[in-house]
Amino acid sequence: MLERFFLLGEVAPSQLLTGTYDPWLVALSVLVATLTSYMALALARRARLATSPALSLAALGAGSVSLGTGVWAMHFIGMLAFQFCGTVTYSPGWTLGSMLPSLAAASVALRSLARPSVTPRQLAVGGLMMGGGIGLMHYSGMQAMQTSAALRYDPTGFALSIGVAVALAMLALWIHQGLRQTARLPAGWRTPLAALTMGTAISGMHYMAMASARFVGMAEDWGDQLQHHGQLALAIALITLTVSGSAIALNALLVQRQMLRDKMSSEARLQALVDTAVDGVIRLDAQGVIVEVNRAAEQIFGRTPAQLCGRPLARLVPELRS
């Protein structure tokens, strides 16, 4: 069973297919990981400052979608950046299914970051869950590769990649928490630096794991795969950023609606206080024209709101004329 996953025996060098990376696609993968990390961390801050549990949950959900899809997209673009002498296609089921561990890992990480304060134990557990989720996403995503070459992993490299994933995830969460608590760094720099750290951690784990992959088989003509992979990677990046942006926009809409409801509720409470006041309350505009009166003012003047509103107060109070 292990022989189908790990490279345990000796293999002739001629059967090991080596590959190279397209530097532009590597840079694109890191950029996607960093941008989606920034969006997710901004939403984690919004969840921490939310005025209601519903808004906090909505922000966490949007942030999890942003970070989860970003981690998955970074992984897939990184796979497309790898070129070796063989034709590669991808199983849709495995490709999409590998996103689930990424979303779960993102949810765990953001829940840790959304707390007002985080203990070292919580950071360690969050990093362990996030690193493990990213590792599971990576290796399940690698199963989506369909090629004539047999895919195996170096056991040492495999274990090291999981360790690096957990360590870098803990480091990213710890740095974000540390930046949040320091007063020396301007607030506008904290989230970008934390996002850069997290994006680098996500990317570092992926390329460390790719270094443990071994492709065993015979070289084939791979034609114009590079151009096709570049177009596909760009499409994935655009879709991912659109999904993340949409998640942020939806969360902003929910926040706006909640603020509007809070404002209307506050105005209703204030109006109830004014209406039940024993003293007359009159609201005027800049020209001294009556805009609103309470019930006590109606009784004082002996007139209805329709008769009072729209008239200058000076006409009702003779002392104001002089």
Side-chain angles (χ1 to χ4, degrees):
M1 183 66 179
L2 291 178
E3 289 79 4
R4 300 183 61 181
F5 192 80
F6 293 114
L7 187 64
L8 300 177
E10 294 292 332
V11 178
S14 60
Q15 291 185 306
L16 287 177
L17 303 181
T18 59
T20 59
Y21 286 96
D22 181 346
W24 293 107
L25 293 186
V26 171
L28 179 61
S29 69
V30 177
L31 178 63
V32 168
T34 303
L35 289 178
T36 52
S37 295
Y38 176 83
M39 297 178 187
L41 293 176
L43 286 168
R45 179 177 182 274
R46 183 173 293 178
R48 190 172 64 253
L49 302 177
T51 56
S52 70
L55 286 180
S56 178
L57 185 61
L60 284 175
S64 298
V65 170
S66 176
L67 183 58
T69 55
V71 171
W72 174 86
M74 180 275 136
H75 158 81
F76 199 65
I77 294 172
M79 289 175 62
L80 293 173
F82 181 74
Q83 305 293 327
F84 72 101
C85 297
T87 303
V88 180
T89 58
Y90 294 92
S91 166
W94 276 103
T95 300
L96 295 176
S98 64
M99 189 183 295
L100 297 178
S102 177
L103 293 171
S107 177
V108 169
L110 293 189
R111 285 183 181 275
S112 298
L113 297 179
R115 294 189 178 99
S117 60
V118 185
T119 64
R121 181 178 180 276
Q122 289 170 334
L123 281 178
V125 172
L128 179 63
M129 297 295 291
M130 183 179 177
I134 293 175
L136 180 60
M137 179 278 303
H138 173 85
Y139 286 106
S140 61
M142 290 292 286
Q143 291 299 115
M145 295 184 68
Q146 296 177 334
T147 177
S148 59
L151 175 59
R152 301 290 185 268
Y153 297 99
D154 173 63
T156 303
F158 174 84
L160 184 61
S161 68
I162 298 297
V164 167
V166 173
L168 290 179
M170 289 182 180
L171 177 64
L173 297 182
W174 179 79
I175 288 179
H176 178 270
Q177 184 70 7
L179 291 176
R180 196 176 81 187
Q181 294 177 346
T182 182
R184 299 179 182 178
L185 190 67
W189 284 92
R190 296 172 191 171
T191 301
L193 285 177
L196 181 61
T197 303
M198 185 168 287
T200 303
I202 294 168
S203 305
M205 181 274 154
H206 170 82
Y207 290 108
M208 176 66 72
M210 286 296 293
S212 71
R214 301 290 184 267
F215 295 91
V216 182
M218 301 299 295
E220 297 178 349
D221 180 20
W222 47 290
D224 59 351
Q225 266 194 144
L226 182 59
Q227 180 180 0
H228 173 69
H229 284 186
Q231 295 171 347
L232 183 57
L234 183 60
I236 291 172
L238 292 175
I239 292 173
T240 300
L241 294 178
T242 300
V243 169
S244 297
S246 299
I248 290 180
L250 178 60
N251 181 259
L253 179 61
L254 292 175
V255 171
Q256 185 180 24
R257 291 185 62 182
Q258 183 63 41
M259 291 176 62
L260 180 60
R261 285 196 293 266
D262 292 343
K263 180 182 178 182
M264 293 175 63
S265 177
S266 177
E267 290 177 348
R269 287 194 299 269
L270 178 60
Q271 187 62 45
L273 290 173
V274 170
D275 287 341
T276 56
V278 294
D279 296 324
V281 179
I282 301 174
R283 187 161 65 90
L284 308 175
D285 64 11
Q287 286 73 39
V289 176
I290 298 174
V291 176
E292 188 178 4
V293 296
N294 70 342
R295 294 174 184 173
E298 296 175 36
Q299 296 174 358
I300 292 171
F301 291 104
R303 302 187 184 186
T304 64
Q307 294 172 325
L308 292 172
C309 295
R311 300 184 62 183
L313 181 62
R315 293 186 181 181
L316 299 175
V317 183
E319 291 80 0
L320 296 177
R321 299 177 184 175
S322 59

